[in-house]
Amino acid sequence: MGLAKRIIPCLDVKDGETVKGTNFVNLRSAGDPVELGKAYSEQGADELCFLDITASFEGRKTFTDMVTRVAKEINIPFTVGGGINELADVERLLYAGADKVSVNSAAIRRPELINEITSRFGSQVCVVAIDARFDADGWHCYLKGGRERTERGLFEWANEAQERGAGEILFTSMDHDGVKNGYANEALRELADNLSIPIIASGGAGKKEHFRDTFTDGHADAALAASVFHFGEIPIPELKAYLKAEGINVRI
């Protein structure tokens, strides 16, 4: 059966509340992150992911306090990301109670950050998040919440991240984000088949079949989703029962 596939609710946090958008824009409120985190933990989520999407100095303080509050309420691993630029940021969040950190823009700008995190805290702490879009010349990585294109290609950057010690890749297809038409399974499969570290699928969940397809067709190790969980469209226990019935190894 292999390792159990993981279901990971993702909470984008802005000014202390959970928000959700489409294609990275048009944000709307989705509730209190601590309450949501606790509810997901109780419903059987395997992990949680919290992203500080406005990591200015003030936002950081609010976010760090929230991480501490979440840690007291849940008993599953959780990853935090947003505004992590140096080891001091990683230390602050791990100290607040996070299990892993997710780095994105800062790692593309200065790839040595991955080496620094993994040599100090271990590979299992470092998740490299990649926001990519399929442009006319192939998959390209984007920075600053999807606002700035880079010349880094998705596959070569993911490969370099693995070589530098990343423990997991969290790949968000910007074209699929919030659209609810399914994950970018072709690109996910290419990542999963060429790398030896786990691949987390992100962007595109709209129905239970999409989760099944990203595990079977996309070869993903975990599936991350936001609005279908936040707005009660797919309850986690129901999703897991469905996946198990479809022959996918999940923890019930």
Side-chain angles (χ1 to χ4, degrees):
M1 289 284 276
L3 287 174
K5 302 293 190 182
R6 291 169 288 149
I7 300 297
I8 308 176
C10 180
L11 296 89
D12 290 340
V13 179
K14 180 178 189 281
D15 306 327
E17 68 169 2
T18 312
V19 295
K20 185 63 195 120
T22 304
N23 300 126
F24 287 39
V25 293
N26 302 327
L27 301 178
R28 57 183 174 144
S29 176
D32 176 64
V34 181
E35 290 303 311
L36 278 171
K38 185 181 179 186
Y40 292 144
S41 177
E42 288 167 355
Q43 286 168 28
D46 297 294
E47 295 185 19
L48 293 172
C49 184
F50 290 84
L51 300 176
D52 181 358
I53 62 167
T54 48
S56 65
F57 179 73
E58 266 311 299
R60 278 186 185 191
K61 190 174 177 327
T62 310
F63 187 73
T64 308
D65 293 345
M66 184 216 73
V67 169
T68 305
R69 285 168 34 233
V70 168
K72 289 179 180 153
E73 297 287 352
I74 67 171
N75 56 6
I76 54 175
F78 77 111
T79 302
V80 298
I84 295 172
N85 296 303
E86 54 187 6
L87 280 181
D89 298 323
V90 179
E91 208 153 73
R92 172 174 54 85
L93 292 165
L94 294 177
Y95 185 73
D99 297 284
K100 309 179 198 179
V101 295
S102 161
V103 290
N104 189 335
S105 300
I108 287 189
R109 286 197 202 97
R110 196 172 68 81
E112 300 76 33
L113 181 62
I114 300 169
N115 304 70
E116 291 166 9
I117 295 170
T118 56
S119 29
R120 177 79 173 273
F121 303 107
S123 280
Q124 77 287 350
V125 160
C126 185
V127 178
V128 172
I130 303 176
D131 297 333
R133 171 178 276 151
F134 190 70
D135 294 331
D137 53 350
W139 283 99
H140 276 269
C141 302
Y142 278 71
L143 299 181
K144 295 183 181 167
R147 288 185 286 275
E148 187 182 300
R149 176 181 147 127
T150 75
E151 288 315 304
R152 299 301 307 249
L154 165 63
F155 303 108
E156 52 100 3
W157 171 234
N159 193 57
E160 181 179 335
Q162 173 178 277
E163 285 175 6
R164 288 181 178 275
E168 296 180 274
I169 299 290
L170 165 55
F171 162 51
T172 302
S173 164
M174 293 168 58
D175 304 297
H176 294 71
D177 177 67
V179 182
K180 301 187 178 178
N181 286 333
Y183 293 91
N185 291 325
E186 207 173 302
L188 283 159
R189 186 167 60 245
E190 188 167 339
L191 286 169
D193 292 354
N194 288 296
L195 299 180
S196 57
I197 57 176
I199 306 297
I200 304 167
S202 166
K207 51 188 187 180
K208 288 177 281 199
E209 290 81 357
H210 294 153
F211 290 88
R212 175 198 64 199
D213 294 346
T214 204
F215 293 137
T216 55
D217 303 344
H219 301 176
D221 298 278
L224 180 142
S227 54
V228 291
F229 297 141
H230 302 340
F231 301 116
E233 294 162 37
I234 303 178
I236 291 171
E238 198 180 287
L239 171 61
K240 286 196 159 187
Y242 164 81
L243 291 170
K244 203 161 193 72
E246 291 287 317
I248 289 160
N249 181 18
V250 287
R251 289 186 199 90
I252 298 282

